[in-house]
Amino acid sequence: MSSPAPTESGCEMMKRTAKDLKKEIEKNEHRAAEIRSKITVLQGQAHPDQAQIDALKQTLEILEKKIEEDRVSLSTLEDVITENC
């Protein structure tokens, strides 16, 4: 995350936090897409490694929950910014 400027206002801080959160969501969405792709490739093999597929599915589930939580946080933060800044 970006470090706060010495004289950063509350609105500036919230806007910076929202920007950082958007970047984090995008990074995690990209990672989730890579995991989905890897799962698809593994499932397409003649003798897929089910343990590896299951582990990737579990990782994907955790990552998708994190993305959803971050989206909710971002939405709330954007509402606060809209109302107060």
Side-chain angles (χ1 to χ4, degrees):
M1 288 199 160
S2 305
S3 59
T7 58
E8 185 177 52
S9 72
C11 286
E12 290 167 338
M13 181 202 62
M14 287 188 291
K15 288 176 184 177
R16 176 183 46 81
T17 302
K19 183 179 174 184
D20 290 345
L21 196 50
K22 284 178 188 177
K23 287 180 186 177
E24 182 74 14
I25 291 168
E26 288 174 7
K27 182 184 84 167
N28 285 335
E29 286 174 336
H30 180 71
R31 183 161 178 247
E34 289 175 344
I35 293 170
R36 280 188 210 93
S37 177
K38 176 110 178 163
I39 291 169
T40 300
V41 168
L42 288 171
Q43 288 174 330
Q45 294 176 348
H47 302 287
D49 181 348
Q50 194 58 47
Q52 187 177 11
I53 291 170
D54 291 344
L56 286 170
K57 284 182 177 181
Q58 184 177 15
T59 300
L60 181 59
E61 183 179 331
I62 292 166
L63 191 55
E64 287 174 336
K65 285 180 184 175
K66 170 85 170 104
I67 291 168
E68 185 57 32
E69 289 169 1
D70 286 350
R71 284 183 180 147
V72 170
S73 295
L74 178 59
S75 177
T76 301
L77 184 57
E78 287 175 334
D79 288 346
V80 171
I81 291 168
T82 299
E83 291 171 11
N84 297 295
C85 297

